[in-house]
Amino acid sequence: MLVLKFGGTSVGNADMIEKTLNIAQSVLSKSPVLVSSAMTTVTDKLVSVSKYANAGNLAEAQDLLLGIEESHLKVARELLDKHDQLLGDCTSALRKLTTDLSAMVKGLCLIREVSARSYDMLLSLGERLSTLLLYYRARAKGISVSLLDAREFIKTDDQFGCAQLKKDLSYPLIRQKVVSKPGHLIITQGFLGSTEHGVTTTLGRGGSDYSATIIGAALAAESVEIWTDVDGIMTTDPRIISHARVLPEISYGEAAELAFFGAKVIHPSTIVPAVELGIPVWVKNTHRPQLSGTCISSDKDQDSQRQGPLAIAGKKNITLITVRSTRMLNASGFLDSIFSVFEKYKVSVDLIATSEVCVSVTVDNLQHIKSLKHDLEKFSELSIESELAIVSVVGRNLYSSNDFLLKVFSALQAIPVRLITMGASDINLSLVVAQSALNAAIEALHKNIL
Ligand code: ASP
Ligand code: MG
């Protein structure tokens, strides 16, 4: 069987929904499961609704919700023209969801508080609406189809906003409820899950890709296809380098590093479920389905024997925290005392470099910075630098050739490098530079080493 995941732009209007369903229809014999994101920009709008609700601004919140409802109704009318019965059913189903949500938002506006739990419930609307459009249009096309609520089988903990998968609960439920068969299309929502007690959760922004590989792994899919609006994973961000190239293949490890260090094409967790069973994950363009896209698979399944750098990613809004303590000279437990502070506030550290009395780490989330500062300053001097960026070079056996580093540093001659992590893995070299120098660094590296 196949899992096909379609991103927000692939379901962004009636035309795209039609293209998406045509792609699914062309593989009906392979028992497809279609996982969909919300229509493009809808989740962002729901985030804004939550901000208005927090501020007690009912009029603005309702306005946005109405706009979301209207845009879905409009697409429904376009898709279900001449299918009066289906249009009627689809309209009531869409309205039921938006009306319920609107009542909830009214309550939130009154108390001026959106709890983490309500936030996830609010954000779940986008995927629940988009999958209704897909489902009714599939019926109008005469496809044998069922629509499943992902919250019935994607089980998570209760870290709302970024819930962690409970695999042992989810996989058996997926096998039980997502019964795919040749000639039939199953449609479900990406991004959504629920706790053991059925409370709605979300897997983190962009999490629909992850939903797709979770379902793919539970069902031992032949492959998972991530359908998006670019031709595949590229050598770097084409908005920075217009001649960036599509990569025909990339390993799980390389793709995970690129996603983690800023490449936007797939969600960083996407690879995890696929690796265990070695399920290939394809990234393809809904606008140009004839192109082959990028295949993400294990090193050993790939054709080429390539070595060296493959792609470059950049990540902005990085903060460097340097912890310095001479008291710790020769003392053991220094790193432990530092990291237990990060652990206490659940702040994840990306890069790290150490000397005898200093430890520098980068973080991309400043939510708990005040508390971190307070706790770390009890035993050390701190310096905090912001407006930095990480540039990451990803490839295979990067350090097997001596001139790799030579080329990297000669490319970066004119750009001050603040921190380097080299050798931690031979598939990634990450450097911290000023945010204002990120594009120049990517350009210089792309030219010199790829
Ligand atoms: N709709 C969600 C978001 O915009 C999830 C996704 O698209 O993957 O973050
Ligand atoms: Mg996405």
Side-chain angles (χ1 to χ4, degrees):
M1 58 88 51
L2 287 183
V3 179
L4 313 175
K5 179 264 167 177
F6 290 87
T9 51
S10 301
V11 293
N13 58 39
D15 256 10
M16 291 308 294
I17 289 182
E18 194 61 19
K19 281 199 175 123
T20 287
L21 285 171
N22 288 341
I23 291 167
Q25 198 168 18
S26 71
V27 292
L28 266 191
S29 61
K30 294 193 167 179
S31 315
V33 175
L34 190 167
V35 176
S36 180
S37 289
M39 280 172 85
T40 181
T41 73
V42 167
T43 312
D44 289 337
K45 286 183 184 143
L46 293 167
V47 171
S48 305
V49 170
S50 85
K51 287 183 184 149
Y52 286 131
N54 243 328
N57 192 340
L58 181 62
E60 299 279 359
Q62 300 281 47
D63 236 31
L64 263 181
L65 273 182
L66 268 181
I68 292 173
E69 181 186 79
E70 192 36 55
S71 58
H72 285 81
L73 291 176
K74 176 174 167 275
V75 173
R77 287 193 295 273
E78 288 167 15
L79 289 172
L80 302 170
D81 184 31
K82 301 195 194 81
H83 297 272
D84 292 350
Q85 177 69 44
L86 290 174
L87 177 59
D89 293 351
C90 181
T91 304
S92 342
L94 293 170
R95 282 226 168 94
K96 164 102 183 63
L97 288 184
T98 48
T99 313
D100 286 355
L101 243 282
S102 171
M104 181 185 115
V105 167
K106 210 168 181 178
L108 298 175
C109 282
L110 279 175
I111 52 174
R112 297 188 181 207
E113 188 192 304
V114 180
S115 66
R117 210 185 248 249
S118 321
Y119 181 78
D120 273 8
M121 187 62 182
L122 186 55
L123 258 61
S124 76
L125 180 68
E127 273 70 11
R128 291 158 70 206
L129 292 173
S130 66
T131 45
L132 281 174
L133 293 172
L134 285 162
Y135 170 69
Y136 281 100
R137 178 60 198 162
R139 283 183 55 186
K141 283 165 82 69
I143 299 174
S144 156
V145 60
S146 39
L147 174 60
L148 302 182
D149 189 328
R151 294 171 298 176
E152 289 179 10
F153 45 82
I154 304 284
K155 290 291 163 185
T156 69
D157 66 8
D158 61 359
Q159 277 188 61
F160 296 100
C162 196
Q164 301 297 306
L165 178 73
K166 291 202 167 172
K167 190 176 148 184
D168 297 347
L169 289 179
S170 304
Y171 280 26
L173 280 172
I174 294 171
R175 286 182 203 120
Q176 186 191 325
K177 308 216 171 207
V178 188
V179 187
S180 66
K181 49 180 190 266
H184 184 78
L185 175 64
I186 293 179
I187 297 176
T188 192
Q189 305 83 18
F191 185 50
L192 311 189
S194 74
T195 65
E196 244 173 289
H197 305 294
V199 182
T200 298
T201 56
T202 62
L203 299 172
R205 292 303 307 271
S208 294
D209 302 336
Y210 184 33
S211 306
T213 50
I214 292 169
I215 295 171
L219 299 178
E222 184 185 314
S223 65
V224 174
E225 299 177 357
I226 309 280
W227 289 85
T228 172
D229 54 4
V230 291
D231 291 342
I233 298 183
M234 307 192 76
T235 50
T236 195
D237 185 342
R239 285 165 304 185
I240 301 174
I241 308 278
S242 58
H243 55 276
R245 301 180 303 275
V246 175
L247 300 165
E249 61 173 24
I250 180 169
S251 70
Y252 291 127
E254 290 166 324
E257 296 278 345
L258 282 179
F260 183 74
F261 287 110
K264 290 271 160 19
V265 191
I266 54 165
H267 183 273
S269 303
T270 312
I271 300 308
V272 179
V275 173
E276 286 167 24
L277 295 181
I279 300 171
V281 178
W282 289 85
V283 178
K284 295 180 64 114
N285 191 344
T286 312
H287 298 276
R288 308 205 286 168
Q290 70 282 8
L291 300 183
S292 42
T294 300
C295 179
I296 311 171
S297 62
S298 81
D299 266 329
K300 64 176 181 359
D301 292 337
Q302 299 196 344
D303 291 337
S304 64
Q305 293 306 307
R306 63 180 172 76
Q307 303 281 325
L310 184 69
I312 300 165
K315 190 171 175 180
K316 290 186 176 169
N317 297 318
I318 297 298
T319 299
L320 184 69
I321 303 176
T322 300
V323 186
R324 184 186 165 82
S325 173
T326 41
R327 272 195 291 147
M328 294 298 168
L329 200 64
N330 282 327
S332 64
F334 182 34
L335 288 178
D336 190 40
S337 51
I338 293 173
F339 286 114
S340 54
V341 176
F342 285 91
E343 161 65 22
K344 180 172 164 193
Y345 297 105
K346 299 266 176 296
V347 174
S348 128
V349 162
D350 293 343
L351 303 180
I352 151 166
T354 68
S355 74
E356 181 60 29
V357 292
C358 277
V359 179
S360 293
V361 302
T362 67
V363 298
D364 62 3
N365 181 342
L366 294 183
Q367 208 191 342
H368 298 287
I369 192 82
K370 275 198 186 128
S371 318
L372 275 177
K373 200 164 172 267
H374 173 263
D375 284 21
L376 289 168
E377 275 177 344
K378 287 182 189 158
F379 60 88
S380 64
E381 280 165 41
L382 273 197
S383 83
I384 297 180
E385 296 161 65
S386 52
E387 287 180 46
L388 298 173
I390 296 175
V391 49
S392 289
V393 179
V394 170
R396 191 184 287 175
N397 295 332
L398 287 182
Y399 303 112
S400 63
S401 109
N402 289 337
D403 66 345
F404 168 64
L405 285 174
L406 198 63
K407 282 185 183 161
V408 166
F409 289 106
S410 59
L412 297 177
Q413 269 176 59
I415 297 168
V417 174
R418 188 59 194 78
L419 183 145
I420 308 168
T421 59
M422 179 199 140
S425 89
D426 68 354
I427 65 170
N428 178 306
L429 168 70
S430 287
L431 309 121
V432 176
V433 298
Q435 184 154 292
S436 55
L438 177 64
N439 288 6
I442 291 177
E443 271 167 41
L445 286 168
H446 201 272
K447 191 160 157 222
N448 250 41
I449 67 171
L450 291 187

